[in-house]
Amino acid sequence: FKMVSRAVGGLVSLVTGGASGLGRATVERLVRNGSRVVMFDLPSSDGEKVAKELGENNCVFCPGDVTSTEDVSAALDVAKSKFGKLDVTVNCAGIGIAVRTYNMHKKKLHPLDQFERVLDVNVCGTFNVIRLSAQMMNQNDISERQEKGVIINTASVAAYEGQIGQAAYSASKGAIVGMTLPIARDLSVCSIRVMTIAPGLFETPLLGSLPEKVKNELGKQAPFPQRLGHPDEYAQLVQTIIENQMLNGEVIRLDGAIRMQP
């Protein structure tokens, strides 16, 4: 058996949540390495601006919501009509809240609609993108490595060590971890691989707005390296997963050995 290297050059990718943070770093790395990308994010995002910077021949922005079948289908149609196919899907879209299950000091319950919203976007939205992407990838001709596509999802270390106030977020990320293997098994007959990355603390817009001192303190929670992760380190792992065919049905923690405290 001779391993054929699969560089990302020439591939067509869909990245959800692609206008900022981990998603944006992924879009930029894929384009830099010769992939053409459909960037999917909310209409209120910087998607249009980011796509212009990267060049319309390399990247096109499709506004929409991951929970909408129509919106995701429209983005996939653009991938097909503009670039001819879909090889890779990276799910970076997600939301989070910080609410206690029951706040005894304020005598306040966790609003159920907020819990449902986080699960709807993070779990149902991710699954919606997976199922529609798989349908399109299955139309691909089999590659030289007998493969039709790769799907990469984003969980979090919160799936394992959720902190106070993270019941909804941890439940949603735990669900993404839990569905990785069964979906990989489901799609194995289509020659499609499915992987999940569980990042630790990364320098994203969510943490980027914090004072430098606070960010440094957060970074020191990781044994080594004692810093926040760089979004391009996430994107680098995305590229590695695309290139290494034996990575399938697994969750990779990308966290500097951090184990979150309560």
Side-chain angles (χ1 to χ4, degrees):
F1 173 75
K2 186 181 176 188
M3 191 178 83
V4 181
S5 172
R6 182 182 186 175
V8 299
L11 301 183
V12 176
S13 308
L14 169 73
V15 180
T16 73
S20 67
L22 304 179
R24 178 170 177 168
T26 300
V27 170
E28 289 172 345
R29 175 174 274 266
L30 290 173
V31 167
R32 202 162 62 235
N33 285 278
S35 176
R36 289 162 297 168
V37 180
V38 174
M39 182 200 309
F40 186 84
D41 211 320
L42 294 170
S44 57
S45 72
D46 284 338
E48 200 72 59
K49 180 169 163 275
V50 176
K52 273 204 182 92
E53 288 170 7
L54 294 172
E56 60 179 25
N57 293 329
N58 305 316
C59 180
V60 59
F61 172 59
C62 290
D65 186 322
V66 288
T67 64
S68 163
T69 296
E70 292 72 25
D71 289 358
V72 176
S73 296
L76 291 170
D77 287 343
V78 168
K80 187 82 170 170
S81 61
K82 188 169 174 65
F83 300 133
K85 58 176 180 168
L86 177 71
D87 301 296
V88 176
T89 289
V90 186
N91 278 303
C92 291
I95 59 172
I97 55 173
V99 185
R100 288 177 186 250
T101 304
Y102 175 67
N103 189 322
M104 71 175 203
H105 301 298
K106 296 181 180 175
K107 295 186 168 47
K108 194 175 174 190
L109 278 169
H110 192 310
L112 188 59
D113 62 338
Q114 289 185 24
F115 188 91
E116 290 171 337
R117 174 68 182 151
V118 172
L119 264 69
D120 192 32
V121 173
N122 294 2
V123 184
C124 299
T126 294
F127 184 72
N128 188 39
V129 175
I130 290 170
R131 70 190 185 101
L132 294 169
S133 296
Q135 182 184 36
M136 180 164 282
M137 287 174 179
N138 192 50
Q139 298 167 18
N140 291 343
D141 293 331
I142 204 90
S143 73
E144 59 187 344
R145 296 205 307 172
Q146 309 303 304
E147 185 169 275
K148 288 188 176 182
V150 183
I151 297 171
I152 301 167
N153 307 309
T154 307
S156 165
V157 294
Y160 307 100
E161 302 109 41
Q163 296 181 288
I164 289 166
Q166 284 192 331
Y169 186 69
S170 293
S172 70
K173 295 304 186 176
I176 293 171
V177 167
M179 67 188 184
T180 301
L181 181 59
I183 296 175
R185 287 171 163 171
D186 282 352
L187 299 182
S188 62
V189 293
C190 306
S191 305
I192 296 170
R193 292 188 288 120
V194 181
M195 286 287 293
T196 293
I197 300 171
L201 298 175
F202 272 70
E203 177 101 43
T204 61
L206 192 68
L207 293 179
S209 57
L210 296 172
E212 205 62 37
K213 188 181 173 188
V214 176
K215 286 195 286 188
N216 288 338
E217 286 304 312
L218 283 171
K220 284 177 185 169
Q221 291 181 25
F224 186 80
Q226 290 195 329
R227 59 170 173 80
L228 299 179
H230 302 308
D232 191 57
E233 290 172 316
Y234 171 94
Q236 183 183 0
L237 182 54
V238 167
Q239 183 177 347
T240 297
I241 290 169
I242 295 167
E243 293 174 345
N244 191 329
Q245 197 177 33
M246 281 303 285
L247 290 172
N248 190 20
E250 184 55 276
V251 182
I252 300 175
R253 289 184 65 132
L254 188 67
D255 60 15
I258 201 168
R259 294 298 179 267
M260 302 301 290
Q261 297 305 301

